[in-house]
Amino acid sequence: MKKHLLLSILALSLAVLSGCGGQSTDTIAEIVKRGLQEQLEKKPSLKDEYLVVRDVAVVKEQGNRYRGIATIVFEGEAREIPIGITADGENVMFEVAPGAFLFIAEKRLQE
């Protein structure tokens, strides 16, 4: 079980498509926040961990690329994870960096 969780966490890469329409970084952050929460609730290896996305902050990097930091609450403790974001005016896609959720596996290994 722990090995399966670790492998799932290492492979975690999330993407969501949603209307963007040239919206602000605040709007993109809200789209990513909702999409990330939805994915965390659906992913079999993570849904029983009761992760909550408290906040997502987004800044524009260049062109249609953005960088974000998601604040995830896990067992009462806030963790920050980096997110890569692309928004083309119609869609928003995001990807969580590989290994971003290793803190869960580390916690489970300590138990």
Side-chain angles (χ1 to χ4, degrees), residues 7-47:
L7 292 174
S8 294
I9 292 170
L10 288 171
L12 184 63
S13 176
L14 302 174
V16 66
L17 294 173
S18 179
C20 178
Q23 296 157 341
S24 69
T25 55
D26 289 340
T27 301
I28 292 169
E30 186 59 34
I31 291 168
V32 172
K33 180 181 176 184
R34 284 193 319 259
L36 179 56
Q37 185 66 58
E38 183 179 306
Q39 291 294 323
L40 293 174
E41 291 170 2
K42 287 182 179 178
K43 186 153 183 71
S45 61
L46 294 174
K47 70 179 184 176

Side-chain angles (χ1 to χ4, degrees), residues 80-91:
E80 292 184 341
I81 60 167
I83 300 175
I85 304 164
T86 303
D88 69 1
E90 293 181 28
N91 300 298

